[in-house]
């Protein structure tokens, strides 16, 4: 007899785990076709549980589960490999990817584009040295994939961004040619920086600064002033390192 | 029908335990009151005693009845090594492994940003005072090899960088007696990523202890 709500072999990432009952785990997973949801991994905290070395964050997994309702049951988890485990500051950046994903996505919404963006960001974190451009690209592409931000190639009136002009950017709106006064929270950026951000070109330090203030604005507009715990941790560690 | 207030209070009190909901709390209360009054009395006394007697050891932060716990007070232990663990259970396991003669520091938790547990919540200030007492020469970080344990280890290493003591992390890799064929893949992969060089030959003075 087939199990109710059985879904086999889906790619997925684990975003967060918490202990559940004596030996089980509640795992928050993210998959392209089924979005973000909670699975219970029965017996996962037993000393010799098979899934112990598999249910790891920042590792590409293949998941099968069954059940209906809010919490489903993990059937099997396979480890796909290919990504070294994140450590040090990369790991803190990884927590930041997860915190944003948890806060920006709704449960059970299929988000194949967001999944691809997350997958690329995790793989990039494990390899690259330029962590801040990985984070900026992830923030921007995730906001765009989830429909919270538009493309920065055109302005509010549908005209192409002029690299030489200055643009006023607000949360939830397309950039607008700066015309003196600005009402509400906004940042004013040169068109050339907006085009570089849209093209994922973070080679210049000025672009990285512009992207940082732009994305900070967009995220604060969506998530409110409440600080992101992983961003605070990242800042605390950077403050010690300096 | 309403329960007597004392019974309701007991049920509500039992619900503070992790994994105990209203039904389980009610079953526990009835069991204690009806079937095991002696046990209930013992539980009440033990709880009362633990709450009044137990504090944190002023050096290693683990639970202790005296200002210094038995390990910190033991003159046989090496004072120049300090092993940092997450919980008292980790300390007990390390003691059973009989591989370490130094002293400990118990964080009583781990940094977990997604649960809003930050560096301030895991006694890192107390650890810094303890580790920088000018007697400690090596800090051995033995937090768990979970994402949260790794972040905690990184934070401690950053805090101690260039402050005096050498900082080391317990190793991760193939289990002792493990055969490649049967070991789980993520463990094997990480063992390959973190392989160690055998040339030049390992320093014979690098014995555990």
């Amino acid at each position: 007899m087939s199990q109710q709500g059985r879904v086999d072999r889906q790619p997925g990432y684990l975003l967060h785990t918490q202990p559940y009952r004596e030996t089980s785990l509640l795992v928050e997973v993210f998959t392209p076709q089924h979005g973000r949801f909670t699975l219970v991994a029965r017996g996962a905290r037993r000393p010799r549980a098979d899934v112990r070395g598999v249910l790891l964050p920042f590792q590409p997994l293949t998941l099968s589960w069954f059940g209906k309702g809010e919490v489903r049951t993990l059937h099997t988890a396979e480890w796909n490999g290919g990504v070294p485990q994140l450590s040090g500051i990369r790991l803190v950046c990884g927590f930041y990817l997860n915190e944003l994903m948890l806060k920006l996505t709704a449960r059970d919404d299929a988000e194949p584009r967001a999944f691809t963006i997350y997958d690329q960001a995790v793989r990039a974190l494990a390899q690259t040295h330029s962590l801040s451009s990985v984070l900026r690209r992830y923030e921007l592409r995730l906001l765009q994939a989830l429909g919270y931000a538009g493309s920065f190639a055109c302005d509010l009136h549908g005209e192409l961004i002029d690299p030489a002009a200055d643009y006023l950017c607000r949360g939830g709106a397309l950039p607008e040619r700066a015309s003196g006064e600005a009402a509400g929270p906004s940042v004013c950026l040169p068109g050339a920086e907006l085009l570089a951000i849209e093209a994922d070109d973070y080679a210049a330090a000025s672009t990285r600064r512009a992207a940082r203030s732009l994305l900070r604005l967009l995220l604060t507009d969506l998530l409110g002033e409440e600080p992101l715990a992983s961003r605070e941790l990242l800042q605390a560690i950077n403050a010690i390192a300096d | 029908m309403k329960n007597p207030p004392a019974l309701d209070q007991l049920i509500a009190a039992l619900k503070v335990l992790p994994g105990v909901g209203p039904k389980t709390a009610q079953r526990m209360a009835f069991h204690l009151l009806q079937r095991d009054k002696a046990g209930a009395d013992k539980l009440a006394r033990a709880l009362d005693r633990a709450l009044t007697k137990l504090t944190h050891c002023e050096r290693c932060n683990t639970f202790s009845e005296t200002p210094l716990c038995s390990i910190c007070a033991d003159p046989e232990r090496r004072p120049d090594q300090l092993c940092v663990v997450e919980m008292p259970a980790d300390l007990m396991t390390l003691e059973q492994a009989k591989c370490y003669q130094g002293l400990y520091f118990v964080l009583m938790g781990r940094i977990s940003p997604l649960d809003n547990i930050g560096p301030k919540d895991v006694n890192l200030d107390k650890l810094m005072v303890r580790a920088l007492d000018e007697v400690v020469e090596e800090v051995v970080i033995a937090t768990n090899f979970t994402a949260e344990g790794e972040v905690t280890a990184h934070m401690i290493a950053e805090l101690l960088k260039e402050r005096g003591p050498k900082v080391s992390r317990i190793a991760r890799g193939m289990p002792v007696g493990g055969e490649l064929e049967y070991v789980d893949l993520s463990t094997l992969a990480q063992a390959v990523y973190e392989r160690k060089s055998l040339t030049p030959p390992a320093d014979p003075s690098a014995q555990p202890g």
Side-chain angles (χ1 to χ4, degrees), chain B residues 41-54:
Chain B
D41 189 52
K42 213 164 132 187
L43 179 65
R45 279 169 204 282
L47 200 56
D48 187 48
R49 188 179 147 89
L51 281 175
T52 50
K53 293 253 173 165
L54 279 183

Side-chain angles (χ1 to χ4, degrees), chain A residues 16 53 85 88 91 95 229 237, chain B residues 113 115 150-151 154-155 172 186:
Chain A
H16 190 45
Q85 283 180 39
L91 182 55
F95 276 116
I237 292 178
Chain B
D115 297 308
E150 285 277 86
V151 152
H154 178 66
M155 183 86 190
R172 140 173 82 181
S186 55

